[in-house]
Amino acid sequence: MAAGCGVVLSAWRGRAPLLLTEMLGYGWMAGAAVISLALALGGIFLTGSALVVCVLLCAGILVAAGLRKLWRGVKVKTGLRNARPVQAAAACLALLPIAWVGFHIFRDAFAWDGLSVWEFKARCAFLSGGSLPASFFSDPTRVRLHTSYPLCIPLTQDWYYLIFGKVDQTALRPVILCFFAAAIAILWSGLFRLTRSYWIAGIVSMLPLLSPVLSGDGLGFTQGYCELPLAAAYLAVVAGLWQWQEAGSEGAWNMACLASGLLPWIKQDGAILWAGAMAVALVAHKRQNWKRLVLFAAPGMLTIVGWKLALAVLHAPPEDTFDSFSLNLLVKNLPRLPIIVSALVQECAWTQSWNILWMCLPFAFATLLVRRGRAALIPIAAILCPLCLDLIPYIFTKLPLGFHLGSSLDRLIFQLAPVALLSIGVSMHAPCAKPMEADLRPASAA
């Protein structure tokens, strides 16, 4: 957290102060990226205590950079200074889902992917001196453990094992809770900056309690699955770009850039979300602003290409889940598309899992188009582009289509749920006459 907050403070730009919730939410995401990347790179040369000391030195440098930025005048505020007591109480509603999910996380054990894919890699890394050996990736008997998946989550968990000095799955529970708390903090911050309403920010941040899969039941994120970190990172991208487009917040744009680079480092699905983030960036920047688009694309492209090269060097066998793309195979499997679309619609309409979240989204989009004009294209692109791209792999799957859809489609939708909540919340409020870049006072207090 300290290293991540140092990154956030160092990257923050613009006149607006940094919200405490932003610093903590973005800070946790950046910290997971920094620590896991330091372990991955440092583990090439070091092991054991030397590796831990090296990572701690990197974290210390980032903390010093953040403190230097604070010394130079970056302000961190809660955003509650001008709030009346009832408004402050409304803002604190966001703490309720964190407490509820925390109860579920410390109640449930790791399962399936959380145990066999992510925690297993963390355990292997710890027993190998802090980083995964090259033989782990080249072993063909471990392909079913998805050895080609990126390492952000397992090496973040590995860091806890290194600090505790032993394998202890209970010690990993706060990792999951912090990712959920980061998602809620980023959601609250984005809603507050875009609406300037404590009520909307607090109430909408509490809405995950009304959806079983968003409050710890049904999709296994409390059991260690990594759809939650993906959802939090994608929310950070969309919220940052939306704030930049409406208020010109350079700090938010920098946070969006950093989060876009994190997406492919969490899981392979992050490459699809990164493509969706590029579509959102294109809407926000327009084609004429191509230099900023290149800068935005650079972190994610560097992550994708770097990981591909690393797998090639490590001789990692490819995943055997999908056929290679070919025009003939596309034509042959195209009759699958109506089945895939039908499954997507049925999943979104499944109220026992999602309540009425996805049913409300079209009305939110329509309201945003009326109230905010072109800015409404940002959340629309953020939802529709990844959904369309998510359908393509199913056309080329080698697994039975029904099984593959039933085991993964709901998790792909989950990755977009926080952005849907952000869209619904912003649609409830008319555009602010005075941008949040100017100050942090709500309209009522002003």
Side-chain angles (χ1 to χ4, degrees):
M1 177 65 81
C5 288
V7 172
V8 172
L9 288 167
S10 300
W12 190 257
R13 297 289 185 274
R15 295 177 300 157
L18 180 65
L19 289 174
L20 179 62
T21 49
E22 288 174 327
M23 187 179 73
L24 296 178
Y26 291 127
W28 175 259
M29 303 300 296
V34 166
I35 295 299
S36 58
L37 189 60
L39 285 172
L41 297 177
I44 300 174
F45 310 101
L46 303 171
T47 59
S49 300
L51 178 60
V52 173
V53 171
C54 178
V55 176
L56 286 173
L57 285 174
C58 293
I61 292 171
L62 292 172
V63 170
L67 292 174
R68 182 170 177 266
K69 198 68 181 293
L70 279 175
W71 179 261
R72 289 192 167 190
V74 173
K75 297 180 180 179
V76 179
K77 295 186 176 182
T78 63
L80 302 177
R81 179 179 179 182
N82 299 298
R84 295 191 295 270
V86 65
Q87 292 174 321
C92 291
L93 291 175
L95 298 175
L96 295 179
I98 298 175
W100 176 259
V101 168
F103 166 75
H104 280 265
I105 286 173
F106 285 93
R107 181 197 65 180
D108 300 339
F110 285 156
W112 297 97
D113 283 5
L115 188 64
S116 63
V117 176
W118 309 110
E119 194 277 339
F120 176 76
K121 291 179 182 176
R123 183 183 298 251
C124 289
F126 171 76
L127 296 175
S128 300
S131 188
L132 289 168
S135 59
F136 178 88
F137 299 93
S138 58
D139 188 348
T141 63
R142 289 176 171 167
V143 173
R144 292 194 175 275
L145 298 175
H146 301 294
T147 52
S148 62
Y149 277 14
L151 300 177
C152 178
I153 303 305
L155 290 187
T156 302
Q157 296 175 337
D158 171 42
W159 178 246
Y160 271 64
Y161 285 166
L162 289 170
I163 294 301
F164 278 90
K166 62 179 180 179
V167 173
D168 182 2
Q169 290 182 11
T170 303
L172 301 184
R173 305 300 174 83
V175 179
I176 306 171
L177 181 59
C178 286
F179 275 115
F180 183 82
I184 295 296
I186 295 169
L187 177 62
W188 189 95
S189 303
L191 288 166
F192 182 62
R193 284 195 179 273
L194 291 167
T195 66
R196 302 174 65 185
S197 170
Y198 295 109
W199 288 99
I200 291 177
I203 292 174
V204 175
S205 298
M206 191 181 63
L207 289 183
L209 290 175
L210 303 181
S211 173
V213 297
L214 296 180
S215 58
D217 291 327
L219 286 184
F221 77 78
T222 60
Q223 288 85 35
Y225 285 53
C226 76
E227 274 63 39
L228 176 60
L230 266 181
Y234 190 59
L235 173 65
V237 174
V238 177
L241 287 174
W242 202 346
Q243 293 169 42
W244 179 84
Q245 202 275 339
E246 288 213 346
S249 174
E250 290 295 330
W253 188 82
N254 287 348
M255 295 302 103
C257 287
L258 293 175
S260 70
L262 178 59
L263 286 170
W265 183 233
I266 296 176
K267 193 179 178 184
Q268 285 183 328
D269 299 354
I272 293 179
L273 293 178
W274 177 81
M278 286 303 303
V280 177
L282 183 61
V283 171
H285 290 78
K286 301 181 183 179
R287 288 177 296 177
Q288 294 83 354
N289 207 347
W290 63 270
K291 291 183 179 179
R292 291 187 71 97
L293 278 173
V294 172
L295 288 173
F296 180 83
M301 184 58 68
L302 184 63
T303 304
I304 294 171
V305 174
W307 182 241
K308 290 289 186 183
L309 289 175
L311 291 177
V313 170
L314 294 168
H315 304 290
E319 298 278 342
D320 195 33
T321 306
F322 301 99
D323 288 310
S324 300
F325 175 83
S326 69
L327 189 59
N328 291 334
L329 187 60
L330 175 63
V331 173
K332 177 184 176 181
N333 291 345
L334 205 56
R336 293 180 174 183
L337 190 58
I339 301 174
I340 299 169
V341 174
S342 175
L344 174 64
V345 174
Q346 291 179 22
E347 179 62 35
C348 291
W350 188 247
T351 56
Q352 292 183 0
S353 294
W354 304 102
N355 209 311
I356 59 172
L357 171 65
W358 299 106
M359 297 180 187
C360 293
L361 194 59
F363 299 100
F365 285 163
T367 304
L368 287 171
L369 286 169
V370 172
R371 288 184 167 181
R372 296 185 179 244
R374 187 177 180 277
L377 296 178
I378 290 178
I380 293 175
I383 295 290
L384 295 184
C385 287
L387 276 182
C388 294
L389 293 174
D390 282 334
L391 301 182
I392 297 175
Y394 290 115
I395 298 177
F396 299 95
T397 181
K398 291 182 179 180
L399 301 175
L401 182 59
F403 168 78
H404 202 171
L405 287 168
S407 61
S408 62
L409 186 59
D410 51 358
R411 287 189 276 162
L412 298 178
I413 295 173
F414 176 89
Q415 297 165 10
L416 306 175
V419 177
L421 289 173
L422 179 68
S423 305
I424 292 170
V426 176
S427 71
M428 297 165 61
H429 197 274
C432 302
K434 192 177 182 181
M436 284 299 296
E437 187 71 7
D439 64 10
L440 286 173
R441 292 178 298 168
S444 58

